[in-house]
Amino acid sequence: MKNFLSVGDITDLDELVSSALSYKKSPLRDQHLGKNKTMGMLFLNPSMRTRLSTQLAARNLGMEAIVFNVGQDGWTLEFEDEAIMSGSTVEHVKDAAPILGSYFDILGIRTFPSLKNKEEDYSELYIKQFIRYSGIPVVSLESATLHPLQSLTDLITIRETLKEIKRPKIVLTWAPHVKALPQCVANSFAQWVTYWGETDFVITHPEDYDLSKQFTQGATIIHNQEEALRNADIVYVKNWSTFNDYGRIYTNDPGWMLTNRKLSLTNNAKVMHCLPVRRNVELSDEVLDGPNSVVTQQASNRVWAAQAVLSEILKHQAAR
Ligand code: CP
């Protein structure tokens, strides 16, 4: 593995999930892999889980991880080629990224979309410019449209949770939220689940909340949430803003929040959410605090997903 931006960068999903689960059993077995290596982690946006779990994963592999909160502490970066930088941006990625490439062996980048310009967000300009100019492997710590470390974690958690079920029914359900949120987690979850292929995958959302078709081929879309939830083995809850009329909130209907009554329609489904979650807006206390919630297990698996990915990149570097 050279870079890690999407499911397209992996060669064998089963192997990657197994690798993550084996690191969960034996976290320090590959401490030699990252010896004398350093990972730079750049955050243009806030994070708790991604930041800490990736730092822990790097440490488990014997690698140092240095975090730089660019959005808070760094110069405002320009990403457009040939930009005339007479506005608010201070440093071009073309100048900054090669320096980072000389400091570090691997670069992790966390960016969010603007939710204003769909074409620009979906071109993944920011992360692609870091790949182009840094000259070292780049790991997405969430990009404008995808969150691959989260999605790998999600599949690890599903595999752990549903050992006995051959072809599980997985439902991704939209939930209300007070802010316009990116489509990244939903896009990425859909991309990874459809790539996996061994599930009945249903996406349920209000009319006009369709995700980009590039990520949902192979999923069944149902606008009636209760119908979608019937016999589900996993319910993945997530809000996203509109894709077609980009970045808007069309509804905040609390009727879309998952409750125990709705959960009773499922096959005693486990409930997932990437966190952070707005309690009693996106997900009810009764579900989050109930026996079906696996959100803490899911978040703790972030370490093993990151460790499996970083180890693949370190092995690729060692083989060159
Ligand atoms: N799920 C997730 O990415 O969490 P953070 O935003 O805290 O990293």
Side-chain angles (χ1 to χ4, degrees):
M1 192 187 292
K2 195 159 172 267
N3 300 302
F4 184 69
L5 308 189
S6 79
V7 78
D9 293 309
I10 68 167
T11 45
D12 190 322
L13 178 58
D14 278 341
E15 232 174 74
L16 199 58
V17 171
S18 299
S19 162
L21 289 171
S22 80
Y23 280 129
K24 187 169 185 171
K25 280 198 191 121
S26 178
L28 303 181
R29 71 177 157 79
D30 276 339
Q31 282 230 300
H32 61 283
L33 276 180
K35 194 165 174 239
N36 300 327
K37 303 248 178 192
T38 310
M39 176 172 184
M41 295 171 59
L42 266 62
F43 286 84
L44 283 84
N45 306 92
S47 165
M48 183 178 89
R49 281 144 289 266
T50 308
R51 171 181 167 153
L52 296 175
S53 62
T54 309
Q55 281 182 291
L56 286 169
R59 196 182 66 173
N60 287 345
L61 293 166
M63 179 165 58
E64 187 172 358
I66 294 178
V67 173
F68 181 38
N69 295 313
V70 191
Q72 203 178 300
D73 304 323
W75 302 115
T76 310
L77 289 171
E78 174 62 56
F79 290 90
E80 290 289 344
D81 286 327
E82 297 173 30
I84 298 169
M85 290 171 57
S86 55
S88 59
T89 55
V90 178
E91 179 157 35
H92 202 286
V93 66
K94 198 173 184 174
D95 301 311
I99 298 165
L100 300 170
S102 76
Y103 292 164
F104 302 120
D105 300 286
I106 299 176
L107 196 56
I109 311 283
R110 154 74 73 110
T111 67
F112 273 1
S114 65
L115 292 181
K116 291 187 172 71
N117 183 331
K118 178 160 57 173
E119 282 67 38
E120 188 180 288
D121 288 346
Y122 274 70
S123 77
E124 291 285 13
L125 176 71
Y126 289 13
I127 204 154
K128 282 186 179 158
Q129 291 289 61
F130 275 108
I131 291 174
R132 184 173 172 199
Y133 292 120
S134 71
I136 57 172
V138 171
V139 174
S140 167
L141 303 173
E142 186 168 1
S143 67
T145 66
L146 294 170
H147 197 351
L149 282 175
Q150 180 67 55
S151 306
L152 174 57
T153 304
D154 299 337
L155 294 203
I156 291 163
T157 309
I158 291 170
R159 191 155 125 188
E160 247 183 351
T161 309
L162 299 181
K163 281 190 202 92
E164 310 301 325
I165 300 178
K166 281 274 175 288
R167 193 178 172 85
K169 177 175 175 183
I170 297 178
V171 178
L172 168 62
T173 180
W174 182 90
H177 202 285
V178 291
K179 283 181 70 183
L181 294 191
Q183 295 98 32
C184 314
V185 171
N187 283 344
S188 196
F189 185 71
Q191 185 189 51
W192 283 69
V193 171
T194 53
Y195 178 90
W196 182 23
E198 293 171 21
T199 72
D200 291 326
F201 182 42
V202 174
I203 304 176
T204 183
H205 56 71
E207 301 273 353
D208 300 324
Y209 270 84
D210 307 74
L211 295 164
S212 168
K213 285 192 175 36
Q214 66 175 303
F215 303 117
T216 58
Q217 300 289 331
T220 305
I221 315 292
I222 299 177
H223 295 302
N224 181 323
Q225 190 193 37
E226 296 201 358
E227 183 192 333
L229 289 172
R230 270 181 224 293
N231 299 317
D233 298 298
I234 294 284
V235 180
Y236 198 103
V237 179
K238 187 71 187 88
N239 169 270
W240 61 87
S241 58
T242 54
F243 169 72
N244 288 323
D245 179 20
Y246 194 53
R248 292 180 185 274
I249 299 176
Y250 278 179
T251 177
N252 245 333
D253 180 2
W256 275 82
M257 184 176 72
L258 191 67
T259 57
N260 275 345
R261 187 193 64 75
K262 289 187 194 174
L263 202 53
S264 70
L265 301 168
T266 69
N267 183 27
N268 197 23
K270 297 297 181 199
V271 178
M272 301 177 70
H273 188 288
C274 64
L275 305 180
V277 64
R278 297 262 184 159
R279 279 179 175 257
N280 302 310
V281 176
E282 282 181 279
L283 249 176
S284 58
D285 277 343
E286 62 180 8
V287 173
L288 270 169
D289 298 332
N292 293 56
S293 169
V294 293
V295 298
T296 306
Q297 175 190 347
Q298 181 185 358
S300 72
N301 282 337
R302 292 291 308 267
V303 177
W304 320 118
Q307 196 166 340
V309 167
L310 294 179
S311 74
E312 287 298 308
I313 291 173
L314 289 169
K315 283 178 203 163
H316 178 82
Q317 279 184 330
R320 278 186 307 167

